Structure formats: structure tokens, C-alpha cells
Amino acid sequence: MSATYLTTEQLSERIHYDVRTIRDRLKDSVLLEGIHYIRPFGGRKLLFLWEAIEKDIHAASASRAPLIPMANGGVAHG
């Protein structure tokens, strides 16, 4: 499995959040070390794992989407 590694600046461009917001507000609260980012070679530089972040962005959006119950037991995504 190949992963897409992004610097903080590259992630900022993809998700349209400021670099400082990623470092100060998202890192270690929403973006977790070992899941969403790594510190290669034990250094200070952060590399973000795009696939894990993308998966969680979609999961968070889907969990907040309104669901309308249907008579046949299904749901409509409204």
C-alpha cells in the first residue's frame, strides 16, 4: 500500500485551512500522530497521511448528513 505524504503547507492547500490552524488547532485534537501524521526519523518535521485524513473528512461529513426515514425501512439522504 502506498501512502501520500504531505507537508503542512501541502495539506493546507488541499483542505483550505491556514497552516497555523492545522498546527495549533487540528494537530493532536483532530489529527492524531500515528494515524493522520508521522514524524519521520524522530525529527520535528511532520508528514501528513492524506488517505487517512480524507477518509475521516468523509466519515465526519456523512455522520452529520440528515437522513429521512422511508416507509420501506430505508433512508433518503436529504
Side-chain angles (χ1 to χ4, degrees):
M1 180 179 136
S2 68
T4 305
Y5 297 101
L6 303 173
T7 63
T8 308
E9 291 78 15
Q10 292 168 324
L11 179 63
S12 171
E13 291 173 12
R14 285 204 186 188
I15 65 172
H16 305 289
Y17 275 80
D18 189 73
V19 171
R20 287 185 61 191
T21 301
I22 293 170
R23 287 187 185 133
D24 297 343
R25 300 192 72 209
L26 299 179
K27 187 178 81 62
D28 297 327
S29 63
V30 176
L31 303 174
L32 306 174
E33 187 170 4
I35 297 172
H36 300 106
Y37 72 92
I38 60 170
R39 295 176 190 268
F41 312 111
R44 292 180 49 152
K45 185 172 187 80
L46 302 177
L47 290 179
F48 292 89
L49 303 166
W50 174 243
E51 289 78 11
I53 294 169
E54 186 176 38
K55 182 181 119 198
D56 284 357
I57 287 172
H58 288 292
S61 292
S63 70
R64 293 190 178 136
L67 300 177
I68 302 165
M70 304 294 286
N72 66 0
V75 293
H77 302 277

